[in-house]
């Protein structure tokens, strides 16, 4: 598994709340409730345990101050964090206590409640902490000093200057930047470049091109598409940004914000859902896909039973055991709908993931920020890319690194997008997973088996969105255009 956020996404439908401790998680907005109180200031960042600030120590880490790091050990492992911790230890002559676990929430909820949390936390996985509650309780350190600190590679640049803008936007709770999303995930339609080359096929630019190619593929005795029918929300990784690409970001933001008629009044929704209805009607999905898990669907794909699969860039790491060495894993840009598209060809969904937080009540929160600064260096961004096949939120972090085929393709897709304005971030799945993964997931499952028409999918999706908007028990979020 290449993305811990994907891990939580897959498991959330199966997991239910247990005594209010672990609730349904989103991709990285987290859900294990912390009950301890917190202050409203950032005083814990300056508790008399700071050292002298300098060009090489812009945050003022105290020499010899030990660091307590708590890292989610999922598909990404935790060696990349250990490597950064080794540099922290060497630089500041300090001991680092490292804990790698898949149970962040259950192990840390009592520590937050008791006022003795670790300094820095990779808050990911299925059993993770509720960052919204931690932030509202004042338990998370405002990381603005980190943003304003000099980058490790160029003291003339601040950390905020090397991050993707979406990493800063996504890391905010209201006005406080208190979450650093370290990884950077590229979503889209994945394929084998070798298979396409061997067959003389080209990756389609448009929906029309895709339909034409699917007919050729089917005649060749291969299924054009597969998907994990057990987790149909994987298809939303493609559907949602495709709607934004064709209809424009402003109209997608209305969907993110649960505005009335946001689905039914958007012509792009009709076009995109109609396209998937056509794929199903013409039998372009691998038979039995509706019963496959993510691993089974990926295995069918890597074995050449299907040409295309919707996924995120973690798929390369996750599918390694079954991927032929010459497979040439690649990801393509979103498809053009027509001349009326609001966003250009090359637009791709690429956004931050893997959330790191610093506890305000930790014994060395300044050290926690410094570890994150070290991780954002080119050295450690490249180390991350090579170890786990993932980009980081450092925009130039992977430059010069030897990248695997899938990651090189993902990096190229980001570059070919032509600027950050064409890198889409989708918040709906992040904010309202019960809506997108359970309710809409059921509709998408029926759509792809041909049991539901596009018009009915759109009508019911709007109904579910309206119900979510009116449900006072659901925390609401707002995104500015």
């Amino acid at each position: 598994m290449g993305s811990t956020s994907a891990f939580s996404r897959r498991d959330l439908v199966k997991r239910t709340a247990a005594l209010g401790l672990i609730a349904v998680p989103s991709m990285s907005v987290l859900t294990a409730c912390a009950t301890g109180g917190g202050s409203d200031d950032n005083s814990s960042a300056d508790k008399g345990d700071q050292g002298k600030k300098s060009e090489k120590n812009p945050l003022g880490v105290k020499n010899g101050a030990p660091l307590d790091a708590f890292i989610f050990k999922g598909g990404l492992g935790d060696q990349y964090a250990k490597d950064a911790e080794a540099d922290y230890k060497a630089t500041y002559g300090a001991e680092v206590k490292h804990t790698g676990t898949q149970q962040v929430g259950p192990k840390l909820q009592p520590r937050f409640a008791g006022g003795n949390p670790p300094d820095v936390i990779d808050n990911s996985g299925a059993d993770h902490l509720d960052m919204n509650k931690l932030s509202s309780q004042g338990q998370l350190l405002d990381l603005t000093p980190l943003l304003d600190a000099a980058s490790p590679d160029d003291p003339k640049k601040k950390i905020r200057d090397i991050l993707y803008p979406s990493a800063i936007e996504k890391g905010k709770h209201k006005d406080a930047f208190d979450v650093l999303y370290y990884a950077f995930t590229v979503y889209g339609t994945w394929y084998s470049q070798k298979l396409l080359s061997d067959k003389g096929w080209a990756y389609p630019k448009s929906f029309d091109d895709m339909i034409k190619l699917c007919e050729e593929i089917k005649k060749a005795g291969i299924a054009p598409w597969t998907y994990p029918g057990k987790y149909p929300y994987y298809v939303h990784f493609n559907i949602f940004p495709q709607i934004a690409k064709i209809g424009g970001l402003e109209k997608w933001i209305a969907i993110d914000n649960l505005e009335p008629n946001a689905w039914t009044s958007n012509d792009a929704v009709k076009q995109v859902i109609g396209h998937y209805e056509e794929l199903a009607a013409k039998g372009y999905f691998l038979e039995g896909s509706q019963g496959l898990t993510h691993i089974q669907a990926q295995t069918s794909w890597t074995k050449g039973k299907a040409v295309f699969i919707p996924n995120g860039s973690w798929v390369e790491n996750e599918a390694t055991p079954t991927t032929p060495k010459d497979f040439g894993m690649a990801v393509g840009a979103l498809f053009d709908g027509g001349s009326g598209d609001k966003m250009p060809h090359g637009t791709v969904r690429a956004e931050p993931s893997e959330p790191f937080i610093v506890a305000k009540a930790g014994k060395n929160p300044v050290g926690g920020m410094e570890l994150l600064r070290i991780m954002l260096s080119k050295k450690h961004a490249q180390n991350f890319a090579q170890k786990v096949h993932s980009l980081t939120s450092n925009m130039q972090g992977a430059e010069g690194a030897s990248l695997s085929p899938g990651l090189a393709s993902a990096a190229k897709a980001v570059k070919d997008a032509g600027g950050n304005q064409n890198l889409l971030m989708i918040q709906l799945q992040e904010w309202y997973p019960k809506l997108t993964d359970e309710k809409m997931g059921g509709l998408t499952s029926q759509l792809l088996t041909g049991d539901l028409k596009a018009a009915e999918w759109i009508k019911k999706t709007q109904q579910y969105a309206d119900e979510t908007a009116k449900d006072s028990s659901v925390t609401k979020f707002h995104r500015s255009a």
Side-chain angles (χ1 to χ4, degrees), residues 56 91 109 187 261 293-294 297 339 413 418 435 454:
K56 292 186 177 181
T91 302
Q109 199 258 0
Y187 299 87
N261 304 315
T293 65
H294 58 290
S339 59
L435 166 65

Side-chain angles (χ1 to χ4, degrees), residues 141-437:
L141 190 72
D142 188 334
L143 302 178
T144 301
L146 172 64
L147 292 181
D148 293 333
S151 73
D153 302 301
D154 183 356
K156 295 178 182 178
K157 288 186 177 181
K158 296 179 179 180
I159 289 294
R160 65 169 70 248
D161 298 327
I162 66 172
L163 295 178
Y164 285 101
S166 55
I168 297 176
E169 177 187 352
K170 192 172 182 178
K172 288 183 177 180
H173 285 102
K174 295 185 178 179
D175 295 330
F177 176 77
D178 52 17
V179 183
L180 175 72
Y181 287 89
Y182 182 64
F184 197 73
T185 299
V186 179
Y187 299 87
T189 301
W190 291 78
Y191 60 97
S192 162
Q193 184 58 61
K194 181 180 186 299
L195 177 60
L196 261 61
S197 297
D198 287 350
K199 297 292 185 180
W201 298 328
Y203 181 81
K205 280 188 66 176
S206 68
F207 278 157
D208 289 343
D209 292 340
M210 173 58 79
I211 294 297
K212 292 175 185 176
L213 179 57
C214 282
E215 188 58 35
E216 285 189 50
I217 293 172
K218 190 175 181 181
K219 287 178 181 178
I222 308 172
W225 284 87
T226 189
Y227 65 96
K230 291 284 188 181
Y231 312 107
Y233 50 76
Y234 266 65
V235 185
H236 297 164
F237 296 157
N238 280 18
I239 286 178
F240 292 171
Q242 191 68 66
I243 291 170
K245 192 267 183 197
I246 294 173
L249 185 57
E250 185 176 345
K251 286 192 174 182
W252 178 263
I253 288 175
I255 290 175
D256 273 346
N257 290 340
L258 302 177
E259 293 182 14
N261 304 315
W263 291 96
T264 52
S265 65
N266 189 339
D267 289 339
V269 175
K270 298 179 179 65
Q271 185 175 359
V272 173
I273 304 306
H275 174 73
Y276 279 86
E277 180 184 46
E278 183 177 3
L279 291 176
K282 292 184 175 178
Y284 292 154
F285 291 109
L286 177 68
E287 186 175 351
S289 289
Q290 66 269 26
L292 301 180
T293 65
H294 58 290
I295 297 297
Q296 291 170 332
Q298 289 164 191
T299 301
S300 295
W301 171 62
T302 55
K303 288 187 175 181
K305 294 181 180 179
V307 177
F308 301 114
I309 190 170
N311 222 309
S313 48
W314 64 80
V315 67
E316 184 173 31
N317 208 39
E318 192 167 63
T320 295
T322 63
T323 304
K325 290 184 178 180
D326 61 351
F327 189 75
M329 193 174 292
V331 62
L334 292 165
F335 306 114
D336 296 339
S339 59
D341 287 10
K342 301 299 183 184
M343 301 186 75
H345 184 74
T347 298
V348 67
R349 180 183 178 186
E351 61 186 74
S353 58
E354 202 67 16
F356 279 76
I357 55 177
V358 175
K360 188 184 295 186
K363 293 180 179 179
N364 186 11
V366 175
M369 284 196 292
E370 176 64 5
L371 180 65
L372 298 181
R373 196 178 76 92
I374 291 171
M375 288 170 59
L376 287 168
S377 68
K378 215 165 187 183
K379 171 186 175 181
H380 288 285
Q382 290 182 351
N383 185 51
F384 186 75
Q386 291 168 343
K387 274 193 167 65
V388 305
H389 307 304
S390 175
L391 300 173
T392 68
S393 51
N394 179 340
M395 288 186 289
Q396 282 81 45
E399 290 182 0
S402 177
L403 304 181
S404 56
L407 185 56
S409 176
K412 184 177 185 299
V414 169
K415 184 177 181 180
D416 290 350
N420 290 319
Q421 72 276 10
N422 299 326
L423 300 179
L424 290 167
M425 181 170 71
I426 302 298
Q427 293 287 49
L428 195 73
Q429 278 178 289
E430 186 83 16
W431 290 345
Y432 309 110
K434 186 173 182 181
L435 166 65
T436 60
D437 296 1

Side-chain angles (χ1 to χ4, degrees), residues 41-95:
D41 57 42
N42 230 17
S43 59
S44 292
D46 187 11
K47 302 189 296 185
D49 57 358
Q50 284 190 261
K52 185 178 180 180
K53 293 183 180 181
S54 65
E55 183 175 278
K56 292 186 177 181
N57 185 12
L59 293 168
V61 179
K62 185 178 180 180
N63 199 52
L67 184 70
D68 189 351
F70 213 90
I71 307 298
F72 176 74
K73 190 177 181 179
L76 301 180
D78 61 350
Q79 186 58 48
Y80 72 92
K82 289 180 179 179
D83 293 342
E85 290 162 11
D87 276 2
Y88 178 93
K89 182 177 181 179
T91 302
Y92 297 104
E95 290 301 316

